[in-house]
Amino acid sequence: MKLTLVESGGLAAGLRLGRPPLVLDLSTLPEADARELADLVSVARQAPAAAESSRRVPDEMSYTITVDDGEAQEALHRSDTTMSQGFAELVDRLHRLASSG
Amino acid sequence: MTEKRVLNCIVPPHILAKLLESSDAEIREAAMRTLLTTMRLQGEREVRATLLGRAAPAEGRRTVYDCRHSTFLPSAVLARSEDGASSGDDSVNRAFDGFGATRQFYLEIMGRNSIDDRGMRLDGYVHRGVDYNNAFWDGQEMVFGDGDGRIFSDFTGSLDVIGHELTHGVTEHTAGLEYHNQSGALNESMSDVMGCLVKQWTMRQTAEDADWLIGAEVFTPGFDGDALRSLKAPGTAYDNDTFGKDPQPDHMDGYLELPDTDEGDNGGVHLNSGIPNHAFYQAAVGIGGYAWEAAGHIWYESLRASTPTTDFQAFADTTVGKAGDLYGSSEQDAVRDAWDHVGISVSSGTARRRPPVSVPGGNGTTAEVARDMDQLLAQVERLRQDLHLPA
Ligand SMILES: [Zn+2]
């Protein structure tokens, strides 16, 4: 399984624009990390995005996590105000693994 | 016509303000004439302070919550309230003090009673999430992250960032500028402009002396750059290997056509804001002195006169009109030149004639009276110049 995270918007949107996405191939991770990530992905998938209001939220960030299991791709799109705690945990874990790897 | 009455000048301004609310038109008019005279004799600032001091002192109550690194705001705990003791947590105190400075700026300088001009409470959430590199306004509250500690540090660290977020609330309650494309870039620009003004007012800096940077303090020393954005020189806030060069344009020639999507920053609202940002800087320096005075008032009144779909050209036209209405031809020329500098031309046909000194309606709230005061003060200033009186 391969995970791709694209972050955009926010007060520092200018710094994020055009930056390369964060990519993690689970097959390159220690087994425990890979299993934990896979669990977080299934939790994040199950929690739908909270209903978005019609107005856009100034300076909030948005996140697109693409899950590629080799056969199909699924994109999970959330924002600071629509994401579940599970999704937030997945974003946090991706950051940690990417900066330690 | 009966002879114009002027009340005795020793009537204190706050009594006069009360008389402005009288149901008797003659009393209202006499009170306004007296205020004009008093201001000429005593100076604008004192009269203004007395009047604004009446504007609901305990409103815009501040509360700061600690998210304890969760992204789920309802689980945050109370960290400091308006009447409570200061916290042992610097982030909590910085948010609290920043709200206080911004609230006071809007009250004293713009005659606005908190975000909605009706004393709306100011709620802040600090320590949101883990290593969260952002701050935002969600329509009800302001939310701040701690930063990742490598590039970004605590987002409560910059007073201009706190003023920026609170101003998103003000914009939502006035023009309601839609958060995409040009109206969105104006929305962003208004937050940057007012964020800078809150800081400059707090530090008593002139337009010439200020650094005009947004978010200089949200970075760690590990970041090779000055800030998130610069109003003085958009496109120069940073230039390094990790983030490249600051992409903000400072002229319509560099306007960035980006998709109106999350990934495209809703049409580049944080990028194209460089254009109106720089126009404000040019106007402030062109007029000279303190940017929160003439230039700040012209921009704020133009925001109040704008609509959700106002674009750069319409906003520029409004500011030039307001400069003429509220101030005079030299301010108007400075504002027109400022827009010209960023590639937006405002024809002189847009300039309106000065209105005569008018008596405001007598049934307004204190905040409305305070706003009328702004216009009045500008009229008094013109009168002073016309009569060649010393300042
Ligand atoms: Zn903003």
Side-chain angles (χ1 to χ4, degrees):
Chain A
M1 187 189 283
K2 209 170 82 180
L3 298 174
T4 307
L5 167 66
V6 174
E7 296 182 330
S8 51
L11 193 64
L15 283 88
R16 284 185 188 104
L17 202 78
R19 294 215 67 211
L22 190 161
V23 183
L24 264 188
D25 187 342
L26 271 62
S27 67
T28 66
L29 297 175
E31 206 185 315
D33 285 342
R35 200 174 324 114
E36 198 197 350
L37 259 188
D39 287 347
L40 286 171
V41 167
S42 61
V43 170
R45 266 177 164 157
Q46 280 156 25
E52 221 167 325
S53 66
S54 54
R55 57 177 286 286
R56 302 189 199 199
V57 178
D59 295 329
E60 80 166 337
M61 286 172 63
S62 61
Y63 311 79
T64 303
I65 295 176
T66 308
V67 184
D68 185 347
D69 64 6
E71 290 171 3
Q73 282 196 352
E74 185 190 358
L76 308 173
H77 188 79
R78 305 285 188 273
S79 77
D80 283 333
T81 55
T82 64
M83 67 185 181
S84 65
Q85 291 179 78
F87 188 91
E89 226 171 296
L90 175 57
V91 170
D92 178 35
R93 185 54 50 139
L94 283 170
H95 278 294
R96 270 162 204 266
L97 288 170
S99 62
S100 69
Chain B
M1 285 297 289
T2 56
E3 190 190 336
K4 294 273 186 277
R5 280 201 299 164
V6 175
L7 301 175
N8 187 319
C9 277
I10 59 170
V11 177
H14 68 277
I15 303 283
L16 287 172
K18 203 79 213 140
L19 293 176
L20 284 175
E21 292 164 19
S22 165
S23 57
D24 184 330
E26 206 185 333
I27 290 177
R28 288 203 305 272
E29 190 173 345
M32 187 47 73
R33 285 181 183 285
T34 308
L35 261 179
L36 268 168
T37 312
T38 309
M39 280 190 293
R40 281 176 54 197
L41 296 176
Q42 291 186 359
E44 304 165 6
R45 219 159 249 291
E46 278 163 57
V47 174
R48 202 178 164 77
T50 316
L51 285 175
L52 291 172
R54 298 170 63 246
E59 293 191 8
R61 292 176 67 83
R62 297 165 288 177
T63 312
V64 180
Y65 299 89
D66 182 353
C67 296
R68 298 179 299 173
H69 306 296
S70 169
T71 55
F72 185 60
L73 301 186
S75 70
V77 297
L78 175 68
R80 187 167 176 187
S81 60
E82 188 66 48
D83 306 315
S86 68
S87 166
D89 180 338
D90 289 343
S91 304
V92 169
N93 294 331
R94 276 195 299 265
F96 187 86
D97 293 342
F99 288 173
T102 309
R103 176 182 69 182
Q104 205 61 20
F105 167 82
Y106 271 107
L107 185 64
E108 283 185 29
I109 303 303
M110 301 302 172
R112 186 175 188 85
N113 182 8
S114 191
I115 287 173
D116 62 352
D117 201 13
R118 299 172 66 181
M120 182 173 174
R121 51 184 306 137
L122 303 175
D123 289 336
Y125 288 76
V126 301
H127 303 309
R128 179 205 180 272
V130 178
D131 295 346
Y132 178 55
N133 292 330
N134 197 26
F136 66 92
W137 156 258
D138 78 354
Q140 293 298 318
E141 50 240 343
M142 287 151 279
V143 185
F144 301 89
D146 293 335
D148 55 20
R150 293 180 300 116
I151 304 290
F152 290 99
S153 69
D154 195 329
F155 277 71
T156 61
S158 282
L159 177 58
D160 43 87
V161 165
I162 295 174
H164 176 109
E165 295 310 328
L166 206 145
T167 300
H168 276 310
V170 172
T171 296
E172 189 172 322
H173 284 273
T174 49
L177 289 162
E178 287 174 3
Y179 203 65
H180 67 147
N181 302 331
Q182 287 200 9
S183 57
L186 279 173
N187 188 322
E188 267 306 309
S189 176
M190 196 54 66
S191 277
D192 279 351
V193 163
M194 293 298 161
C196 278
L197 293 187
V198 170
K199 186 170 154 191
Q200 292 173 19
W201 174 70
T202 302
M203 299 173 76
R204 299 296 184 266
Q205 284 178 329
T206 63
E208 206 62 56
D209 293 339
D211 65 14
W212 294 96
L213 295 173
I214 292 291
E217 299 84 358
V218 305
F219 292 99
T220 65
F223 176 74
D224 181 15
D226 297 330
L228 287 168
R229 291 182 280 280
S230 165
L231 282 73
K232 184 174 181 174
T236 68
Y238 53 89
D239 186 359
N240 58 49
D241 290 342
T242 315
F243 295 102
K245 187 179 174 299
D246 173 4
Q248 276 211 312
D250 64 355
H251 190 280
M252 284 306 282
D253 287 350
Y255 187 91
L256 293 159
E257 295 285 354
L258 289 164
D260 182 12
T261 59
D262 286 343
E263 289 72 22
D265 188 27
N266 302 315
V269 296
H270 292 90
L271 303 163
N272 292 317
S273 55
I275 296 166
N277 273 359
H278 193 55
F280 181 80
Y281 165 79
Q282 288 289 342
V285 170
I287 293 170
Y290 293 125
W292 62 82
E293 293 185 337
H297 279 109
I298 291 165
W299 251 245
Y300 175 67
E301 289 305 324
S302 299
L303 173 69
R304 293 183 59 234
S306 294
T307 69
T309 56
T310 295
D311 62 8
F312 288 3
Q313 183 69 56
F315 189 76
D317 292 347
T318 303
T319 58
V320 172
K322 289 286 177 195
D325 287 351
L326 298 170
Y327 293 90
S329 60
S330 69
E331 288 83 356
Q332 193 169 45
D333 289 345
V335 172
R336 191 185 288 109
D337 289 349
W339 287 107
D340 207 46
H341 198 95
V342 302
I344 294 172
S345 69
V346 179
S347 69
S348 46
T350 314
R352 277 173 276 161
R353 279 194 315 120
R354 290 174 186 177
V357 172
S358 61
V359 178
N363 51 3
T365 63
T366 306
E368 281 163 349
V369 170
R371 276 202 298 274
D372 291 334
M373 287 290 297
D374 281 342
Q375 304 204 1
L376 203 60
L377 291 173
Q379 289 167 348
V380 169
E381 173 60 16
R382 284 204 304 271
L383 201 63
R384 188 183 65 70
Q385 286 172 357
D386 290 348
L387 298 174
H388 303 291
L389 294 173

